[in-house]
Amino acid sequence: MATKPPSSLSALIEALRALPGVGPKSAQRIAYHLMQHDRSGAVRLGEALLGASQGLRHCERCNTFTEATICELCSDDTRDASVLCVVETPADQAMLEQTLTFRGLYFVLMGRLSPLDGIGPNDVHFDRLIRRAEDGVVKEVVLATNFTNEGEATAHYLAQMLKARGLSVSRLARGVPMGGELEYVDVGTIARAMVDRRTV
Amino acid sequence: MATKPPSSLSALIEALRALPGVGPKSAQRIAYHLMQHDRSGAVRLGEALLGASQGLRHCERCNTFTEATICELCSDDTRDASVLCVVETPADQAMLEQTLTFRGLYFVLMGRLSPLDGIGPNDVHFDRLIRRAEDGVVKEVVLATNFTNEGEATAHYLAQMLKARGLSVSRLARGVPMGGELEYVDVGTIARAMVDRRTV
Ligand SMILES: [Zn+2]
Ligand SMILES: [Zn+2]
C-alpha cells in the first residue's frame, strides 16, 4: 500500500505536463524544485499564467497577441499601410522590427503549414490573412516566413493565393541562410535580406 | 522603435524563467505555445502552482510535502517506528514503498550534500533529522540516499553523526548499480538491496 503524494502536489505534477516536452519524470522534478526552492517563483508563474490567459487576445488586424482590440503597432498611423509583412510568430516580428528596415504593417500567422503534422491552410487561418490583405490599401505583401521547409511551403502557398488576388508579393532575399530560423539569425543578415527582397 | 510585447505576455515569459533549465528563448516559445494552443492547460497549471504553493508544507516528522501537520504515512501507527529510512526525495520514498520491503518510517532530506555546489549540512537541515532520530523510539537508521557521489557523501556524513549518538546505522546493499539514482532503478533491484542492507 504505497502512500500517495498530497493532492495539490499531484495536481501540480500533472498540470506541468502541459509544458512542451515535459514528461512525468521531469514534471515531478520541476514540482519538487519549485516547492522546495522557489515558492515565490511558483506563485509569480501561477499568477502570470492566469493573467496572460485572461488578458491576451489576438489583434483584429494583425493577429498578434495584444491586450487591446487592435495592437499598438497596427494603431500607429505613421506606418505605411500599403505594405504588409507576413511572419510566423511575434518573435520573428520583433526581430524584423529591430532591423529598422521595414515601416509597413504586419500579419502574424501564429503558425505555418506543416503537412507532416497534419497542419493545413485551415488550421493556420489563412482566410484571415487574405481578408486583411484585401482591404484595398495593401499593395504589396512581403513573405517573411522562415526559410525552413515548412516556412518555404507556407510562403509558396501564400504567394499563389495572394497573386491570384492581384497583390504584389515579395519574399525576403536569400541573405537568410538556408534552413535558418529568423529568430536565430543575426540582425544584419535579416536587414540585408529585407532590403534585397524580391518579387515572386 | 521596436514594439514591446503586451505586458501580461512579457510577465509570463519572464516568470517562466523560474522553471529549471529554461532560458529566454525557450521561455518565449513556451509562452507562445501555451497562449496559442493550450490556454486551458495554462489556466490549470496556473491554478495548480498557486494551490500547491499555498497548500503544501513540510511534515513535522518526516519533512516530506504534506497538506497536514503530520503526513499520512507518519500517522500510520501500524508502521514500525523503531526503523527510520532516510531518502533524498519523495520520489525515492515512493520507489521504496513500491518494493513492499520496508515497514518502518521515513525521513525525507529534500536534498543532499553537494560540496561542489556549496550545499553543506546546514543547507540540508540535518539537525532536523538528528532530532527526529533521537526520539528514543528509533533504534536503526537505514540510509537510502542515492548511490551517486553526492548521495554517498551524504550517507557517510550521516552515518558518523548518527553512530556517534548510539544509533544502529545501515545502508542499502550494493545491489543498486554504482552511480545509479534510485528513482531510475527497477523495483526488484531496490527490493533486494533493502533486504540485503548492511550495518555501516
Ligand atoms: Zn496588430
Ligand atoms: Zn511524515
Side-chain angles (χ1 to χ4, degrees):
Chain A
M1 174 191 69
T3 45
K4 292 196 185 64
S7 63
S8 65
L9 183 61
S10 309
L12 175 57
I13 293 169
E14 183 56 36
L16 282 164
R17 309 269 317 263
L19 299 173
V22 171
K25 281 284 180 194
S26 31
Q28 198 175 55
R29 298 197 158 212
I30 295 169
Y32 292 160
H33 169 79
L34 290 174
M35 291 304 104
Q36 183 67 13
H37 299 296
D38 194 8
R39 295 236 179 169
S40 64
V43 168
R44 210 176 314 121
L45 178 54
E47 286 168 350
L49 284 162
L50 298 178
S53 296
Q54 188 173 40
L56 288 182
R57 63 182 74 181
H58 290 279
C59 174
E60 287 186 1
R61 296 200 83 200
C62 75
N63 197 42
T64 199
F65 294 121
T66 175
E67 280 147 355
T69 311
I70 307 284
C71 79
E72 200 182 336
L73 195 150
C74 287
S75 310
D76 180 352
D77 58 15
T78 71
R79 309 281 305 208
D80 178 358
S82 71
V83 195
L84 188 69
C85 180
V86 178
V87 293
E88 294 182 18
T89 68
D92 296 336
Q93 178 188 4
M95 279 299 283
L96 283 167
E97 282 294 288
Q98 278 185 55
T99 69
L100 304 174
T101 53
F102 183 70
R103 293 297 304 158
L105 297 174
Y106 289 90
F107 190 89
V108 184
L109 292 173
M110 296 287 184
R112 68 202 66 84
L113 287 184
S114 182
L116 293 179
D117 302 319
I119 299 174
N122 290 336
D123 303 299
V124 197
H125 302 300
F126 285 160
D127 52 325
R128 292 196 52 199
L129 166 59
I130 300 297
R131 273 203 308 280
R132 172 69 187 83
E134 283 185 316
D135 69 349
V137 179
V138 172
K139 300 293 176 236
E140 178 190 355
V141 178
V142 183
L143 298 174
T145 53
N146 286 315
F147 282 67
T148 56
N149 287 341
E150 296 174 348
E152 292 277 30
T154 305
H156 181 74
Y157 182 91
L158 288 176
Q160 294 190 302
M161 301 259 290
L162 294 162
K163 284 194 284 189
R165 284 162 175 82
L167 290 155
S168 170
V169 180
S170 58
R171 180 94 170 101
L172 290 195
R174 288 208 173 274
V176 179
M178 289 299 293
E181 294 187 35
L182 284 193
E183 63 172 306
Y184 293 102
V185 173
D186 68 280
V187 169
T189 303
I190 296 180
R192 201 171 50 237
M194 174 59 84
V195 172
D196 290 345
R197 68 186 186 266
R198 59 188 173 77
T199 303
V200 290
Chain B
M1 175 191 69
T3 45
K4 293 197 184 62
S7 63
S8 65
L9 183 61
S10 309
L12 175 57
I13 292 170
E14 184 54 37
L16 283 164
R17 309 269 314 263
L19 300 173
V22 171
K25 282 284 181 195
S26 33
Q28 197 176 57
R29 297 196 160 215
I30 296 169
Y32 293 160
H33 169 79
L34 290 174
M35 291 303 104
Q36 182 67 15
H37 298 295
D38 193 9
R39 295 237 177 168
S40 64
V43 168
R44 211 176 313 120
L45 177 55
E47 286 168 351
L49 283 162
L50 297 178
S53 296
Q54 188 173 42
L56 288 182
R57 61 182 75 181
H58 290 279
C59 173
E60 287 185 2
R61 296 200 83 200
C62 74
N63 196 41
T64 199
F65 293 121
T66 175
E67 279 145 359
T69 310
I70 307 283
C71 79
E72 200 182 336
L73 194 150
C74 288
S75 311
D76 179 353
D77 59 13
T78 71
R79 308 282 303 209
D80 179 357
S82 72
V83 195
L84 188 69
C85 180
V86 177
V87 292
E88 295 183 17
T89 69
D92 296 335
Q93 178 188 3
M95 279 299 283
L96 283 166
E97 282 295 287
Q98 278 185 53
T99 70
L100 304 175
T101 53
F102 182 70
R103 293 297 304 158
L105 296 174
Y106 289 90
F107 189 90
V108 183
L109 292 174
M110 298 285 184
R112 68 203 67 87
L113 287 184
S114 183
L116 292 179
D117 302 320
I119 299 174
N122 290 336
D123 303 300
V124 197
H125 303 298
F126 284 160
D127 52 324
R128 293 197 51 198
L129 166 59
I130 300 298
R131 274 204 307 280
R132 173 69 187 84
E134 283 185 315
D135 69 348
V137 181
V138 172
K139 300 292 177 238
E140 178 191 357
V141 178
V142 184
L143 298 174
T145 53
N146 286 315
F147 282 68
T148 56
N149 287 340
E150 297 175 347
E152 292 278 31
T154 304
H156 181 74
Y157 183 91
L158 289 175
Q160 294 190 301
M161 302 259 290
L162 294 162
K163 283 193 286 190
R165 283 162 175 83
L167 290 154
S168 170
V169 180
S170 58
R171 179 94 171 103
L172 290 196
R174 289 209 172 273
V176 179
M178 289 298 292
E181 295 188 36
L182 284 192
E183 63 172 306
Y184 294 102
V185 174
D186 68 280
V187 168
T189 302
I190 297 180
R192 199 172 53 237
M194 174 60 83
V195 172
D196 289 346
R197 68 185 186 268
R198 61 191 171 76
T199 303
V200 289

